[in-house]
Amino acid sequence: MTDISDNLLPCPFCGNRPTISHTGLAKVNTSNLPSHLQPAEYSTEWIVKCRHCGISRGKEKSYYVFTKNGELKTLNKENGKKRAIELWNTRANVETKFEQSSDGITFSTIATQ
């Protein structure tokens, strides 16, 4: 499943539009989960990826259980899809410095706060 309607920022490397997708629902082994996720029946991993250059960020999990009404309920307080989008949209403040030398133009990047 791919959804490009989310508020995803362009790729920070090439400027093209990314996509968000998930791995599909998979059965969960609850023995290693924290108690608040113990009722989980299924999980999926969300990932945001640039369609042009292939860079990705994400792999955030969501855990689900089916309700008595047959609806899929997310058990995570922070939904994996939402978290994957937040991680993709996070940008470091970077200052780029260009210098001319006899060897040509060089540049360096410095993370700022």
Side-chain angles (χ1 to χ4, degrees), residues 17-34:
R17 186 175 199 147
T19 60
I20 185 163
S21 60
H22 65 82
T23 57
L25 292 178
K27 281 295 240 181
V28 173
N29 176 356
T30 59
S31 61
N32 297 328
L33 292 177

Side-chain angles (χ1 to χ4, degrees), residues 99-106:
E99 295 179 354
Q100 180 73 43
S101 67
S102 59
D103 297 334
I105 297 174
T106 60

Side-chain angles (χ1 to χ4, degrees), residues 22-79:
H22 65 82
T23 57
L25 292 178
K27 281 295 240 181
V28 173
N29 176 356
T30 59
S31 61
N32 297 328
L33 292 177
S35 60
H36 71 282
L37 294 175
Q38 286 295 323
E41 297 174 6
Y42 299 94
S43 70
T44 192
E45 285 187 339
W46 293 93
I47 188 163
V48 178
K49 184 175 183 177
C50 176
R51 294 184 287 181
H52 181 74
C53 71
I55 194 76
S56 64
R57 177 90 189 247
K59 289 202 176 178
E60 293 295 316
K61 278 199 170 188
S62 289
Y63 294 93
Y64 303 96
V65 65
F66 279 101
T67 66
K68 290 179 182 179
N69 298 334
E71 297 172 355
L72 199 58
K73 177 183 173 188
T74 305
L75 296 175
N76 311 48
K77 275 189 174 180
E78 195 165 309
N79 182 307

